[in-house]
Amino acid sequence: MLTPAAVSLVRRATRSALSGAPWGWQEQVPAQDFVDAIARHRLAQLVDGAAERFRLTGDLATVVAAMARRDRLEAMTAIRALLDVDDHLAGIDHLFVKGAALAAQTTGDPTSRGPGDVDVLISPDDVGDALGLLVARGWRPGPSYAVDRGSWAWRHQVRAGNEISLTGPHGHLDLHWRLDPTHHGLPGFDDLWERRTTVEVGSREVATLSGADAFRHSVRHAAKDRWDSLRSLVDIHRLAADPGHWPERPTRLERASLSVVAATIGLPATAPALDETPSGLPTALLAQVGEVRERRFAGDDAWRHASYVLQSSRTPRDLADLAASVLLPPQVVAEVPDAHAVTAVPRALRRRLSHALEFRHRSPR
């Protein structure tokens, strides 16, 4: 069972594993609850690596070691998918973010973060060509994404969205053309590509974000998810160890993320001084004891999306796209076939209203 006490204990174990601070298992919570919290936050490899120092013995040590082995094997499957995508997109500039690339960048071991989707970033100008190449090699976009490049829905998706999710022979892929839902909250592809670095994944060098760009992306990605994943906070901790990764003046949102890391699992001793703020901590503590990306109420996804965009970027373009994506979410209007806005928008609005009425009809009273 996932309990607040067990999650709190995993936070303490994580802090100890990262810093070397004293901590040990003394059956503070039921063993199964501790295991469930480790699994929820995908930290089996981190805890297993310190199992001897934590004095994990008997069945608990065996279970955690088995979880770590399974996570490593699943990570190797994701690496196979990453290498396939690297081949498929050989003619298009692309950067791998998160996943195995970030694991290699922060620990030297591309399996150390465990399982996950493959995330690849390309230029917005290359979305159509990249999608075509991937589809030709067996990757299939979800039904809620527009695929007709001549349609208004496609143009709306590229402007107001930032990714397409696909399923392929070896797992799942998120094809991104921006790092987050904003145009100006994080750097665009051209700047990221110019500053790129490479890491070794599966005996191959692949391109990924620079350390500073990975740090800024990880800080904001965690905030977008309400800091619900301790694994994401571990990423930030590891990247924060290099003062050269830090922005000269962290924004309010970045300060909130870094303050959550400091309060929950700690920042490394080499990190610069931080003007901490408690603003994000109550949200983080609540989210970490719930399901991953738990929906708290009808419309929670839209609320979180809007809240994040407003905190991340308030340029006129991002505000306009926020309004467009809330009124007409790209996933809702993906099947609108019209080529021009004059007919597509009214049809999309009718579909949006129909979806809202259908949801209201299905909702319990």
Side-chain angles (χ1 to χ4, degrees):
M1 179 185 298
L2 187 66
T3 66
V7 173
S8 177
L9 203 63
V10 170
R11 282 195 288 262
R12 293 179 205 171
T14 300
R15 181 187 288 265
S16 176
L18 293 170
S19 69
W23 182 84
W25 170 250
Q26 297 176 345
E27 300 186 15
Q28 297 95 324
V29 300
Q32 187 58 53
D33 290 1
F34 186 57
V35 167
D36 289 345
I38 292 171
R40 157 64 174 82
H41 289 280
R42 298 185 176 184
L43 291 174
Q45 292 189 68
L46 184 73
V47 175
D48 183 55
E52 185 175 349
R53 180 161 59 83
F54 289 167
R55 299 188 298 278
L56 301 186
T57 58
D59 290 344
L60 178 57
T62 300
V63 169
V64 172
M67 292 168 60
R69 286 194 298 272
R70 184 176 64 248
D71 283 357
R72 190 175 295 276
L73 287 172
E74 292 182 11
M76 292 171 68
T77 300
I79 288 172
R80 181 178 178 183
L82 181 151
L83 297 177
D84 283 349
V85 171
D86 192 45
D87 288 336
H88 303 339
L89 301 181
I92 294 176
D93 291 341
H94 58 279
L95 298 166
F96 290 103
V97 298
K98 300 192 295 182
L102 182 57
Q105 187 172 30
T106 54
T107 71
D109 176 2
T111 69
S112 64
R113 292 183 79 248
D117 298 341
V118 177
D119 292 86
V120 64
L121 177 72
I122 58 173
S123 167
D125 297 334
D126 292 329
V127 177
D129 291 341
L131 182 61
L133 289 170
L134 291 167
V135 168
R137 300 298 290 270
W139 293 90
R140 295 289 177 261
S144 61
Y145 296 96
V147 295
D148 179 1
R149 286 190 252 176
S151 68
W152 166 86
W154 172 269
R155 296 192 298 275
H156 178 61
Q157 175 177 260
V158 173
R159 177 185 173 94
N162 69 304
E163 65 180 4
I164 295 174
S165 294
L166 304 98
T167 301
H170 306 300
H172 298 278
L173 164 68
D174 289 331
L175 178 68
H176 301 263
W177 51 95
R178 289 192 296 277
L179 280 176
D180 75 356
T182 67
H183 288 265
H184 304 114
L186 287 168
F189 180 81
D190 289 343
D191 291 334
L192 297 170
W193 179 256
E194 185 177 345
R195 296 193 291 264
R196 71 190 183 279
T197 188
T198 59
V199 292
E200 185 173 315
V201 177
S203 300
R204 183 186 303 180
E205 294 289 324
V206 299
T208 190
L209 303 174
S210 71
D213 287 328
F215 178 62
R216 193 173 181 194
H217 175 233
S218 295
V219 164
R220 293 191 175 225
H221 181 73
K224 183 167 66 69
D225 289 339
R226 298 183 298 139
W227 307 284
D228 68 356
S229 167
L230 290 178
R231 184 176 71 166
S232 293
L233 302 192
V234 170
D235 293 334
I236 296 170
H237 174 100
R238 287 169 168 160
L239 288 162
D242 185 342
H245 293 164
W246 286 59
E248 185 176 350
R249 291 187 180 86
T251 66
R252 181 180 300 180
L253 184 63
E254 291 164 349
R255 283 177 52 227
S257 254
L258 292 165
S259 297
V260 166
V261 176
T264 53
I265 64 170
L267 286 167
T270 55
L274 173 68
D275 180 16
E276 294 186 29
T277 170
S279 61
L281 188 58
T283 298
L285 295 179
L286 183 62
Q288 288 169 14
V289 298
E291 297 302 319
V292 178
R293 292 168 183 77
E294 183 175 36
R295 294 180 179 178
R296 301 165 295 176
F297 51 83
D300 188 30
D301 287 343
W303 169 256
R304 276 194 285 162
H305 170 76
S307 176
Y308 173 77
V309 171
L310 289 173
Q311 293 180 75
S312 188
S313 174
R314 296 191 181 184
T315 63
R317 179 168 187 178
D318 279 324
L319 293 177
D321 282 351
L322 172 60
S325 63
V326 170
L327 181 63
L328 292 173
Q331 290 81 359
V332 172
V333 302
E335 295 181 4
V336 173
D338 305 57
H340 303 292
V342 67
T343 57
V345 171
R347 187 191 296 267
L349 288 170
R350 287 195 297 271
R351 288 179 62 88
R352 176 66 160 144
L353 179 60
S354 174
H355 274 258
L357 292 174
E358 182 181 346
F359 178 82
R360 182 179 178 184
H361 180 71
R362 291 199 312 261
S363 297
R365 299 183 178 223

